[in-house]
């Protein structure tokens, strides 16, 4: 501000306009007739929505990020195989949502678990559907995960500078399989029970750490009332928390490093270079 | 004309008029717009396909009938009289152990003093007055004192009279009641129901729900009851 | 590449150096004697660590972010009150960790909940401590949250452009109180039981939506075996998930918009401006 | 000298020598470095204060004695003979309902054929041979067939002979056994224990843990047993 003329005290000066309050640039010409009522409504509704979005955008600065993310350049040759990663994530989200709702009825007690699972299936509205989605969705997720991994491997998308993302993906694979293992016990029928016994004893067969690993999973030396709550806690809290965090890191790296072109296009490019010579 | 005006003020209707390269004649939606819309719609349908059943699954108990259609024996007719309440224990949900047990107060119906009777339209009055101990303020258990013939709630001091009507404190309506009948000389207790201050009968409501005057429309019944 | 001289085929050319493999700039002079063994070890260990960090940094690009985050400029007058937000988050993390471990033993069944809570307290190693941390930690978190909110209010830090962060904070407050409510039922003693009955009936007292809200919380018209699993699912999955996501948004906005100076410094600045005139 | 060399090659030891403004004499750590270190140390201590007990809480079952010190009656002595196994059901954990029940096979000890006996050092041999049905391959339940006098596991075809020793298939050691004693003419079953191929006695181990030769050191016992 000028220091020559004594200015008004600050509280008397008009506030500088906030960015959102600037005069709207009149890109819509003055209407030459009275606007129709419907038009006016539509316009003000649109403006209201734009104002809300503008208000949010001004405070969060998401629009440059969103523009960069949604309209980013992708390599030539990007095809349907590139959607396998998103599909896997969608499967995870579906598992998370159905899982939260199943937890509202499920009871991780050795004497009540089977009963509550059958209550979900037979009594609750849409229970069979939701439990089925969770059960078959787990298989779908693992199939999609392996397909996504195969795509990455075959297209060579694990190479520099994407090694770290491959490593994170492998950890996600292991965690997803651990979800399958811990979830298998929860219906607590004969199949669940014996499959878990066998799986825990497989863990016990590792030299040196095996017995400790099995004891950790069982919560003691024998399969007891603690085992099923422990599997439930791993299935609901520990492993999904880790998976969600690692999916975040995985996506961050994908957004940062971009995707690769399919190998056949890279080969074409190489040949083009040779022909140019 | 409004049509002309909006044509002038907005983007041209046809993509060809906007000078887009490769626009087809008569095309009104850009291909990018179409793909975006299609992807959003497909994603929306896919999300709804699993989110809606899951939501219904979680919210279903709000719309299902919670009443249990069974009669529980609480003792022979000789246990009860019209001048004093007798506490009895019934089981509202066998699945939750101790928490499923509820105390009720039972006495014989007295045609002289019990007017009006909360009967179901034109049917006979219920032969026993069976009161729930759930205070209709916030659900604490009330206790009956014989000397003043009053029910008192320990939590916030609600007081009910001998008929279960509010006598003081915060409760909003009389104590809930239960259906009762006599079979082979034994008193049996059935479904819970709520009453308003005139002892008019309503479907079972939560404590704290008013049932008088216009209030009854602000606290709707469960859909299936 | 030059198109005049025929270059080697690509696979015969030496690979261009990756950024991490560039010659290290010799800021350490050539040693004039043989390096001592311990020194050498120390140096190579340091270099190894630096190489791992460099490898990660090259692929993730975290160091500019971290530098910006850790060495950002804060307003003059930033004081201990500004740590209340971090303290609240630390309390949440502590609740999450102890909660995951408590879930390994806790059984949300009306007939077993009290038993399993007393098993945790009396039988498991450090159980009393961990359960105590979770129980008292919840109070600590709510106290810290209110202090953080009071700091924000008194310092005027909710004003433009930080309104959205205040709104998120208020939602976090409500969710944290909901955690307190849902967690209170879980030990399933008389106090828990009646407090929950009263709390659910308080919810039922809202006109129009009240009865539905109460039915949703109870999972039916009466307190039943579903109520406690439902409270457990809300306490463990739905609400903590929302809280974690909103804490992320809250922190993003704090990092983006920065912190405010205390009001007395802003007042000083105003006076300075006046004096300058 | 190494000291001189490192002084020359690294940053000067004193902050004053590095030309820092406001450095004190003899100061070796910058104030920023000290604050950073202090904050990290305080944060580390605070995190450890809640993370370590929580971890111990979660991992404690790995280090606690899982054996149950109680004797369960399985019937009178007249039920059993040395030539055939009788199946009996005991309860290993009453808290888990059906899942806590386990079948065991019991027969009388035969001093002629049962050599060596898995006795505890110099004590008397256990008067009854009580075999666990838990296959030591991966924990499936084995079944006894009288005709071939063999135990067969349905999961992966493990076969054990009349003494419980491995006769074929993947199992790594003989079937686990239980302590047994006779009290007032009734047979009582006690703690589980494991044996290796020479029937030497070990603390109870998981299935799939080898106990012969050097293997036994690769599969440690639980710390408290």
């Amino acid at each position: 501000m000028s220091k020559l003329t004594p200015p008004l005290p600050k509280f008397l000066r008009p506030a500088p306009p906030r960015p959102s309050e600037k005069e709207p640039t009149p890109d819509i010409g003055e209407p030459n007739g009275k606007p129709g009522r419907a038009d006016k409504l539509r316009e003000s509704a649109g403006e209201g929505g734009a104002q809300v979005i503008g208000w949010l955008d001004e405070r969060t600065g998401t629009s440059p990020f969103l523009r960069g993310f949604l309209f980013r350049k992708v390599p030539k040759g990007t095809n349907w195989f590139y959607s396998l990663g998103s599909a896997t994530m969608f499967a995870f989200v579906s598992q998370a949502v159905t899982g939260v709702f199943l937890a509202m009825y499920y009871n991780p007690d050795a004497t009540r678990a089977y009963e509550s699972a059958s209550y979900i299936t037979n009594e609750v509205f849409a229970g069979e559907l939701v439990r089925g989605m969770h059960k078959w969705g787990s298989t779908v997720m693992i199939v999609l995960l392996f397909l996504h991994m195969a795509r990455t491997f075959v297209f060579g998308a694990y190479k520099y500078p994407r090694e770290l993302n491959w490593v994170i993906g492998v950890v996600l694979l292991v965690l997803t399989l651990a979800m399958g293992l811990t979830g298998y016990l929860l219906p607590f029928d004969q199949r669940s029970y014996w499959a878990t016994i066998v799986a825990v004893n497989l863990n016990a067969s590792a030299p040196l750490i095996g017995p400790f690993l099995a004891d950790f999973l069982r919560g003691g030396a024998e399969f007891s009332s603690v085992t099923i709550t422990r599997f439930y806690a791993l299935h609901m809290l520990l492993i999904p928390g880790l998976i969600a965090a690692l999916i975040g890191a995985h996506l961050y790296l994908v957004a940062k490093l971009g995707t690769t072109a399919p190998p056949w296009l890279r080969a074409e490019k190489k040949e083009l270079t040779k022909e140019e010579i | 004309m409004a049509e002309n005006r909006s044509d002038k003020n907005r983007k041209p209707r046809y993509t060809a008029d906007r000078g887009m390269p490769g626009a087809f004649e008569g095309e009104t939606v850009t291909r990018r717009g179409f793909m975006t819309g299609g992807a959003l719609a497909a994603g929306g349908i896919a999300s709804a396909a699993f989110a809606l059943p899951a939501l219904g699954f979680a919210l279903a108990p709000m719309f299902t009938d919670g009443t249990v259609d069974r009669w529980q024996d609480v003792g022979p007719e000789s246990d009860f009289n019209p001048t004093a309440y007798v506490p009895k224990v019934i089981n509202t949900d066998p699945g939750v152990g101790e928490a499923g047990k509820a105390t009720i107060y039972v006495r014989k119906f007295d045609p002289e003093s019990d007017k009006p009777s909360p009967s179901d339209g034109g049917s006979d009055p219920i032969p026993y007055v069976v009161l729930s101990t759930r205070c209709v303020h916030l659900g604490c258990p009330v206790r009956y004192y014989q000397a003043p013939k009053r029910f008192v709630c320990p939590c916030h001091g609600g007081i009910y009279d001998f008929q279960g009507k509010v006598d003081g404190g915060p409760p909003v309506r009389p104590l809930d009641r239960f259906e009762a009948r006599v079979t082979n000389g034994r008193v049996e207790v059935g479904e819970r129901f709520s009453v308003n201050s005139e002892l008019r009968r309503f479907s079972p409501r939560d404590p704290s729900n008013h049932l008088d005057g216009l209030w009854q429309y602000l606290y709707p019944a469960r859909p299936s009851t």
Side-chain angles (χ1 to χ4, degrees), chain A, chain B:
Chain A
M1 75 197 74
S2 157
K3 289 194 180 179
L4 298 175
T5 54
L8 287 166
K10 197 167 184 183
F11 63 92
L12 280 181
R13 272 179 261 152
R18 290 177 183 172
S20 63
E21 287 170 359
K22 272 176 191 155
E23 280 292 297
T25 46
D27 58 352
I28 301 168
E30 198 83 87
N32 51 3
K34 277 193 177 176
R37 202 179 169 185
D39 271 357
K40 209 170 178 179
L41 259 179
R42 221 184 300 150
E43 261 171 31
S44 64
E47 268 171 31
Q51 271 174 6
V52 167
I53 291 171
W55 189 91
L56 286 175
D57 187 37
E58 187 186 331
R59 281 149 187 88
T60 58
T62 41
S63 77
F65 169 75
L66 265 185
R67 211 178 299 125
F69 189 75
L70 290 178
F71 297 97
R72 70 185 184 279
K73 294 215 170 20
V74 292
K76 205 180 161 185
T78 295
N79 53 38
W80 280 101
F81 290 116
Y82 286 77
S83 67
L84 285 166
S86 317
T88 313
M89 195 180 69
F90 186 78
F92 174 72
V93 170
S94 157
Q95 292 298 95
V97 170
T98 52
V100 167
F101 289 135
L102 285 171
M104 289 185 177
Y105 298 94
Y106 177 73
N107 206 328
D109 178 51
T111 57
R112 299 290 303 268
Y114 179 76
E115 204 181 307
S116 66
S118 93
Y119 176 77
I120 287 170
T121 315
N122 300 321
E123 306 284 327
V124 190
F125 170 76
E128 205 172 354
L129 182 60
V130 173
R131 193 182 152 195
M133 285 199 294
H134 198 74
K135 183 186 168 180
W136 297 106
S138 66
T139 308
V140 169
M141 182 173 171
I142 286 172
V143 168
L144 285 171
L145 205 156
F146 273 109
L147 288 176
H148 174 56
M149 199 174 176
R151 201 281 300 168
T152 308
F153 183 75
V154 170
F155 283 20
Y158 57 87
K159 291 178 187 170
Y160 177 84
R162 294 183 187 81
E163 300 103 313
L164 186 63
N165 225 10
W166 175 268
V167 171
I168 292 175
V170 170
V171 176
L172 279 170
L173 168 68
V174 172
L175 289 174
T176 308
L177 295 177
M179 285 297 276
L181 176 73
T182 49
Y184 205 88
L185 174 66
L186 301 183
F188 213 61
D189 49 17
Q190 286 288 327
R191 181 200 294 247
S192 303
Y193 178 77
W194 290 110
T196 304
I197 293 275
V198 166
V200 169
N201 286 327
L202 271 175
N203 278 292
S205 70
L208 294 176
I209 59 157
F212 296 101
L213 202 56
D215 281 9
F216 168 73
L217 286 172
R218 271 190 306 245
E222 300 284 336
F223 191 101
S224 71
S225 52
V226 173
T227 309
I228 189 163
T229 53
R230 186 167 279 250
F231 269 63
Y232 191 49
L234 292 175
H235 187 75
M236 277 193 318
L237 297 170
L238 200 59
I239 306 178
L242 290 174
I243 287 182
L246 286 178
I247 284 180
H250 203 70
L251 282 184
Y252 166 77
L253 285 180
V254 168
K256 180 162 184 70
L257 302 173
T259 51
T260 46
W264 53 85
L265 278 185
R266 274 177 284 166
E268 261 176 39
K269 212 175 166 189
K270 239 180 232 168
E271 280 182 22
L272 276 175
T273 319
K274 275 184 196 164
E275 276 165 24
E276 271 172 24
I277 296 161
Chain B
M1 303 290 284
E3 285 253 325
N4 289 343
R5 195 189 54 75
S6 75
D7 271 9
K8 203 180 143 192
N9 291 339
R10 300 182 184 204
K11 285 184 196 161
R13 194 158 162 246
Y14 297 102
T15 51
D17 298 345
R18 290 183 228 159
M20 296 216 172
F24 289 106
E25 183 162 346
E27 195 187 51
T28 53
V29 179
T30 61
R31 269 157 278 178
R32 167 170 288 190
F34 180 75
M35 293 299 281
T36 307
L40 284 177
I45 290 168
S47 305
F50 81 86
L52 287 186
L55 259 185
F57 174 77
L59 302 182
M62 289 166 51
F63 305 107
T64 48
D65 190 345
T67 54
V68 190
D69 191 20
R70 72 199 157 114
W71 293 88
Q72 294 185 63
D73 189 323
V74 294
E77 281 202 89
S78 57
D79 277 11
F80 309 105
N81 62 66
T83 55
Y85 282 98
V86 179
K88 293 281 173 187
V89 174
I90 61 168
N91 206 328
T92 56
D93 184 349
V96 295
E98 282 298 311
K101 289 189 179 155
T103 304
I104 53 174
Y105 281 110
V106 187
R107 72 170 165 89
K108 240 196 177 89
F109 179 74
D110 182 4
E112 301 301 308
S113 60
D114 284 337
K115 282 185 180 174
S117 146
S119 66
D120 204 0
S123 67
D124 287 339
I126 299 169
Y128 281 82
V129 178
V130 184
L131 294 185
S132 160
T133 53
R134 182 197 287 174
C135 177
V136 294
H137 175 222
L138 290 172
C140 294
V142 300
R143 191 176 158 193
Y144 176 68
Y145 295 91
Q146 180 61 29
K149 292 199 167 184
R150 293 283 188 286
F151 296 88
V152 179
C153 176
C155 288
H156 310 93
I159 300 176
Y160 305 84
D161 67 12
F162 192 62
Q163 283 199 307
K165 288 181 180 172
V166 180
D167 200 39
V172 297
R173 58 169 207 259
L175 286 173
D176 284 355
R177 300 192 170 203
F178 286 88
E179 285 280 13
R181 69 178 184 197
V182 179
T183 312
N184 300 330
R186 295 191 72 86
V187 180
E188 288 181 340
V189 171
E191 273 183 29
R192 168 197 294 273
F193 62 90
S194 297
V195 291
N196 72 1
S197 62
E198 289 144 9
L199 295 189
R200 195 155 73 79
R201 191 187 162 125
F202 285 82
S203 67
R205 303 300 168 92
D206 282 324
S208 77
N209 290 9
H210 298 251
L211 286 176
D212 287 309
L214 287 173
W215 283 106
Q216 63 185 278
Y217 304 107
L218 288 178
Y219 293 101
R222 281 179 197 90
S224 60
T225 51

